[in-house]
């Protein structure tokens, strides 16, 4: 039985198993096996030829945004509208067959936008060059999931499932679990909160499935077995995702209002150029970028050329961006020696 067949069998068994206290250990083991087989599926085949056309492009600019979605949802039209790059757009599916990069210039920042080929159901197993598309998406800072507003709910759930199966976690934070394998001493399990989804026995069973018999585990929040498996595997990517519903000119105002109120969602129309400015504002917020302006001594600040950094960056980061030797020469202000009150 091949890996795909094993994955299919485990998914079917999980679907038909009732979720209750009696089956939680069995389900935990099944999920651990499923994660192992999916990881094996993503490993490059040793027998495969090294030749082949990939479409990863060099990372450039201040941030990278991956544009993913099903065929014919308006990705290429969006790229052409937002950048100076012309991406072929047509009414038939699979117009884009490779990765097409473009640059969005916004608030002094250069944001690299990647128009990826449309992915189909089963992309995680390699259908329709899905593995290459998802591999590029893993390198992005933000994912824009382009959806057809006329059938957005179906597309959204399918795309989330495909990305979830290859270790991309959308709009989620890394589980606050301390995990460290050891050479001996067995499994040390502790938690600082009350656990409602995992127990010590379930944690041990999952670790044994991964042939781990000595480790330190500390739960700092109430996490599920899936989140604990993510910590063990260690190659998960946590990134923000913006759900963009295109073609809103083809649905009712009530439906537009409903989609616009969903979390992490923006409604647009590439055909009528509606709401694109708001999408750029939301993208800037999700990228968490900030503009820093410099000035020469005795002169006014130069607002034409900004240094773009991540929100929360320190003065040291600014120094490194200006010149790598500047940080070592930078002098911190001396502490004040003046005393308040009487002298």
């Amino acid at each position: 039985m091949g890996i795909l067949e094993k994955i299919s069998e485990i998914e079917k068994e999980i679907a038909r198993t009732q979720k209750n206290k009696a089956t939680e250990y069995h389900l935990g083991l099944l999920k651990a096996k499923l994660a192992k087989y999916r990881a094996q599926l993503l490993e490059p085949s040793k027998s495969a030829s090294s030749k082949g056309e990939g479409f990863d492009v060099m990372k450039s600019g201040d941030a990278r945004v991956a544009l993913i979605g099903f065929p014919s949802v308006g990705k290429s039209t969006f790229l052409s509208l937002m950048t100076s790059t012309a991406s072929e757009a047509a009414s038939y599916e699979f117009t884009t067959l490779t990765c097409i990069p473009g640059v969005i210039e916004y608030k002094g920042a250069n944001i690299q936008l990647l128009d990826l080929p449309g992915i189909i159901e089963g992309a995680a197993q390699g259908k329709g060059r899905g593995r290459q598309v998802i591999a590029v998406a893993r390198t992005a800072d933000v994912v824009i999931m382009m959806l057809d507003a006329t059938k957005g709910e179906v597309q959204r759930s399918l795309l989330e499932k495909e990305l979830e199966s290859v270790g991309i976690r959308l709009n989620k934070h890394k589980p606050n679990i301390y995990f460290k394998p050891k050479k001996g001493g067995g499994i040390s399990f502790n938690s600082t909160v009350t656990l409602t989804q995992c127990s010590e026995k379930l944690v041990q069973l999952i670790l044994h499935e991964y042939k781990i018999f000595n480790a330190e585990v500390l739960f700092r929040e109430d996490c599920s077995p899936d989140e604990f498996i993510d910590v063990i595997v260690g190659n998960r990517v946590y990134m923000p995702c913006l759900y963009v519903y295109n073609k809103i000119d083809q649905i009712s105002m009530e439906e537009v209002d409903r989609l616009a109120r969903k979390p992490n969602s923006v409604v647009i129309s590439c055909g009528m150029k509606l709401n694109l400015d708001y999408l750029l504002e939301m993208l800037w917020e999700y990228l968490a970028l900030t503009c820093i302006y410099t000035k020469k001594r005795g002169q006014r600040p130069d607002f034409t050329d900004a240094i773009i950094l991540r929100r929360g960056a320190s003065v040291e980061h600014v120094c490194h961006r200006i010149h790598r030797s500047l940080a070592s020469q930078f002098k911190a202000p001396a502490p004040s020696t003046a005393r308040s009150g009487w002298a």
Side-chain angles (χ1 to χ4, degrees), residues 206-222:
I206 293 173
L207 288 173
H208 290 170
E209 180 64 32
Y210 281 90
K211 304 294 188 290
I212 299 173
F213 302 99
N214 302 285
E216 286 184 34
V217 179
L218 173 62
F219 278 68
R220 296 193 180 100
E221 63 179 353
D222 188 15

Side-chain angles (χ1 to χ4, degrees), residues 84-110:
S84 57
T85 305
S87 181
E88 184 181 356
S91 58
Y92 54 86
E93 296 186 348
F94 298 105
T95 313
T96 304
L97 299 176
T98 186
C99 178
I100 301 176
V103 176
I104 301 174
E105 296 178 358
Y106 186 69
K107 292 186 178 181
N110 292 323

Side-chain angles (χ1 to χ4, degrees), residues 69-76 88-98 115-121 128 148 150-151 155 247:
F70 280 98
S72 279
V73 293
K75 298 188 300 296
S76 299
E88 184 181 356
S91 58
Y92 54 86
E93 296 186 348
F94 298 105
T95 313
T96 304
L97 299 176
T98 186
D115 178 19
L116 298 170
I119 65 177
I120 57 176
E121 191 174 357
D148 189 333
T150 59
K151 45 189 173 183
Q155 291 184 346
K247 305 180 184 179

Side-chain angles (χ1 to χ4, degrees), residues 47-230:
S47 61
S49 172
S50 59
K51 294 182 180 179
E53 185 188 355
F55 48 68
D56 196 6
V57 295
M58 185 179 293
K59 197 168 185 176
S60 65
D62 301 297
R64 169 180 275 196
V65 177
L67 191 59
I68 67 167
F70 280 98
S72 279
V73 293
K75 298 188 300 296
S76 299
T77 306
F78 178 75
L79 179 79
S80 301
L81 285 173
M82 306 303 289
T83 71
S84 57
T85 305
S87 181
E88 184 181 356
S91 58
Y92 54 86
E93 296 186 348
F94 298 105
T95 313
T96 304
L97 299 176
T98 186
C99 178
I100 301 176
V103 176
I104 301 174
E105 296 178 358
Y106 186 69
K107 292 186 178 181
N110 292 323
I111 302 168
Q112 187 181 43
L113 181 65
L114 301 180
D115 178 19
L116 298 170
I119 65 177
I120 57 176
E121 191 174 357
Q125 284 79 40
K127 293 182 181 178
R129 304 190 73 183
R131 288 188 197 174
Q132 292 138 303
V133 173
I134 292 171
V136 176
R138 287 175 68 96
T139 66
D141 299 303
V142 168
V143 168
I144 289 182
M145 188 180 291
M146 188 71 75
L147 304 165
D148 189 333
T150 59
K151 45 189 173 183
E153 297 302 320
V154 177
Q155 291 184 346
R156 177 170 171 169
S157 59
L158 288 173
L159 285 172
E160 284 177 336
K161 181 182 176 183
E162 293 296 330
L163 296 177
E164 187 88 9
S165 65
V166 294
I168 297 178
R169 304 292 181 256
L170 302 177
N171 297 324
K172 293 180 180 178
H173 68 277
K174 190 174 181 180
N176 194 0
I177 300 174
Y178 174 76
F179 170 71
K180 183 181 179 181
K182 300 186 299 183
K183 292 183 178 179
I187 295 174
S188 172
F189 176 84
N190 285 294
S191 65
T192 59
V193 295
T194 302
L195 301 181
T196 61
Q197 304 175 72
C198 274
S199 64
E200 184 174 357
K201 181 181 176 182
L202 180 56
V203 166
Q204 289 178 349
L205 286 172
I206 293 173
L207 288 173
H208 290 170
E209 180 64 32
Y210 281 90
K211 304 294 188 290
I212 299 173
F213 302 99
N214 302 285
E216 286 184 34
V217 179
L218 173 62
F219 278 68
R220 296 193 180 100
E221 63 179 353
D222 188 15
C223 296
S224 66
D226 293 309
E227 291 173 320
F228 179 59
I229 291 168
D230 287 346

Side-chain angles (χ1 to χ4, degrees), residues 217-271:
V217 179
L218 173 62
F219 278 68
R220 296 193 180 100
E221 63 179 353
D222 188 15
C223 296
S224 66
D226 293 309
E227 291 173 320
F228 179 59
I229 291 168
D230 287 346
V231 172
I232 297 172
V233 176
N235 64 351
R236 304 312 193 209
V237 179
Y238 300 85
M239 64 174 62
C241 175
L242 201 53
Y243 301 98
V244 178
Y245 292 90
N246 188 24
K247 305 180 184 179
I248 58 170
D249 51 298
Q250 300 179 16
I251 59 176
S252 66
M253 285 299 296
E254 290 77 11
E255 183 68 8
V256 171
D257 184 64
R258 188 185 68 83
L259 293 175
R261 293 179 184 276
K262 295 176 74 69
N264 309 307
S265 300
V266 179
V267 292
I268 66 167
S269 172
C270 290

